[in-house]
Amino acid sequence: MNTNIKGKIGEEIAVELLPNSKLNPIKSSMYRNYDIDWCGKKVEVKMSTTYPVWNFHVNYPIVVDYYLWIGFKNNRPYRSFFIPIKELKGRSYRISADPEKRGKQSRFRKYEIKIFKNLLEKYIVSNICDRCEGKIYKAGLCQKHYQETYKKS
């Protein structure tokens, strides 16, 4: 599954998690600086499937009020965090999916939004190549299709 498809899934999840939210109607990435409009606030949605430690990045220049980070486990939404931009000082963040297992707490725990069971069943991110039944290597493609698509000429 390619990055655009995953991002679209993340946006659909966000609209369900945030009451009274709607997708940003501007489709062009050149002018689209945020994903969701939530009660007049701009929200950027990011997803990570790198369980057990999720990686999230902050885009610059910052034009949003909040980031909604959604971490996946076993190809399903597992935890989400709705973080005000004032709490984010750096560009990259790593969040342990289960810090409690090590007796710790995430500094973002207070921003966690519970993911409801219906979302777990509805949104599943595939680990199968977009073009065949092969296991994903990079960019939503198996190794063969990735090399064919991105080979150096």
Side-chain angles (χ1 to χ4, degrees):
M1 183 174 287
N2 66 36
T3 306
N4 291 338
I5 299 295
K6 286 182 183 177
K8 188 73 175 158
I9 290 171
E11 292 169 12
E12 289 175 11
I13 293 171
V15 168
E16 291 195 39
L17 284 174
L18 301 174
N20 303 317
S21 63
K22 59 186 178 199
L23 292 172
N24 180 356
I26 299 172
K27 300 295 182 207
S28 169
S29 61
M30 181 187 295
Y31 300 104
R32 186 176 176 186
N33 297 322
Y34 63 97
D35 296 319
I36 305 291
D37 181 305
W38 176 66
C39 301
K41 302 288 185 185
K42 297 175 184 171
V43 180
E44 179 72 16
V45 180
K46 297 290 184 182
M47 288 179 36
S48 180
T49 57
T50 57
Y51 181 85
V53 177
W54 298 308
N55 299 300
F56 296 101
H57 303 281
V58 174
N59 296 336
Y60 284 87
I62 295 173
V63 296
V64 299
D65 301 299
Y66 294 90
Y67 270 89
L68 177 64
W69 291 343
I70 304 169
F72 279 66
K73 176 182 178 181
N74 298 326
N75 299 323
R76 296 173 187 262
Y78 185 61
R79 293 177 100 163
S80 63
F81 304 87
F82 190 60
I83 305 170
I85 196 63
K86 66 181 179 181
E87 295 294 322
L88 302 172
K89 307 293 184 214
R91 291 185 75 99
S92 293
Y93 294 87
R94 295 172 54 100
I95 298 178
S96 174
D98 296 303
E100 298 83 10
K101 287 183 179 176
R102 296 189 330 265
K104 298 185 177 184
Q105 289 186 6
S106 167
R107 75 178 221 193
F108 297 114
R109 183 177 182 200
K110 64 183 173 183
Y111 301 112
E112 185 169 2
I113 298 175
K114 298 295 180 203
I115 295 181
F116 304 104
K117 189 175 193 284
N118 64 331
L119 289 179
L120 294 176
E121 294 166 359
K122 185 174 180 181
Y123 296 103
I124 300 173
V125 175
S126 173
N127 61 352
I128 303 298
C129 176
D130 288 346
R131 298 185 191 163
C132 70
E133 295 299 312
K135 185 169 171 56
I136 285 187
Y137 170 68
K138 286 184 182 174
L141 301 171
C142 65
Q143 190 166 5
K144 174 188 167 201
H145 286 117
Y146 179 83
Q147 289 171 346
E148 287 175 2
T149 306
Y150 298 103
K151 68 181 178 187
K152 307 229 186 226
S153 6

